[in-house]
Amino acid sequence: MLYAVVVGLLIGKALGGHFERIGELRIRWATLAILGLAVQLALFSAPVTEAIGDLGAPIYVGSSAAVFAVVLRNWRLPGLPIVALGAGSNLAAIVANGGYMPASPEALAALGKHLGPEYSNSAAVAAPFLAPLTDAFALPHWLPFANVFSIGDALIGLGVLVALVLVMRRGAVAAAKPRPEPVVAPSH
C-alpha cells in the first residue's frame, strides 16, 4: 500500500495535481475505517496476540468487514470501485479460509519468511480455498517492506493510486478545457 501512495502522489504531482486537494476529500464513515484499521494493527502486537488467542481470526474478519463497509459507502469517489473489488476479493478469501489470508509457501520462501505460531492475519496454506485470491505473489526481496500480496491487494493499491491522481488533478482538467462559446439565439 505504501508504494501505491507514493507512486500516486508522484504521478498526481507530475500531471499538474495539487497535494492540498487530497485534504478536500470527504470520506463518509471515516471513523469506522480508522477504527477497523487500528484493530488490525493491534492484532500484530505480541501482547494483544497473547491476550486474544483464538479470537484473532473473528476479530480480523470483523475489522476487515468494517473497512469494506466504508469503502462501499464511498463507492462514488474516484478509484474506490477498484479498491472495493480488491477489498471484496480479499475478504472473500479470508472468510473462506477461516479468518486467515492464506500465503503461498512459495511466495513466503521467495522472501525468506516464515509464519510463526502467534496470531497473524496470514497462514501458510498449500491448498487454500479461493487460491487465486490469496497471497500468492511476493514483492522483490530487495524492496524495503517486501511482503507477500494478493490480486486483491494489487487492486486496492491500484485503486488508491487512481484515487490520489484523480483527486489531486480535480479542477485541473476542467481548467485546461476551453469553454464553449455561448449560443446566441437570433432575434426576429
Side-chain angles (χ1 to χ4, degrees):
M1 191 60 63
L2 178 62
Y3 292 112
V5 170
V6 171
V7 172
L9 291 172
L10 292 173
I11 292 173
K13 189 64 176 169
L15 294 176
H18 302 279
F19 295 124
E20 61 272 8
R21 290 200 176 115
I22 296 168
E24 298 168 5
L25 190 60
R26 298 293 172 245
I27 299 175
R28 295 181 174 121
W29 301 356
T31 304
L32 180 60
I34 292 167
L35 180 62
L37 293 170
V39 166
Q40 289 180 15
L41 285 175
L43 287 174
F44 298 112
S45 73
V48 172
T49 295
E50 291 172 18
I52 60 171
D54 292 340
L55 293 176
I59 291 171
Y60 181 57
V61 170
S63 63
S64 296
V67 174
F68 185 53
V70 174
V71 170
L72 292 177
R73 177 66 177 98
N74 292 279
W75 176 266
R76 293 180 191 255
L77 293 176
L80 270 283
I82 302 169
V83 172
L85 184 61
S89 69
N90 280 352
L91 187 57
I94 291 164
V95 169
N97 289 282
Y100 297 89
M101 173 58 91
S104 157
E106 294 81 16
L108 287 168
L111 292 175
K113 290 189 173 190
H114 69 281
L115 299 174
E118 69 280 351
Y119 176 78
S120 169
N121 67 328
S122 294
V125 178
F129 294 107
L130 301 178
L133 302 181
T134 65
D135 286 348
F137 309 99
L139 287 172
H141 65 87
W142 47 266
L143 281 175
F145 312 112
N147 205 349
V148 294
F149 67 97
S150 66
I151 290 173
D153 295 332
L155 288 169
I156 292 168
L158 176 63
V160 167
L161 186 150
V162 167
L164 287 170
V165 170
L166 293 178
V167 167
M168 287 176 66
R169 291 203 21 91
R170 186 176 286 160
V173 174
K177 290 182 183 177
R179 293 186 177 191
E181 295 295 320
V183 177
V184 179
S187 58
H188 294 287

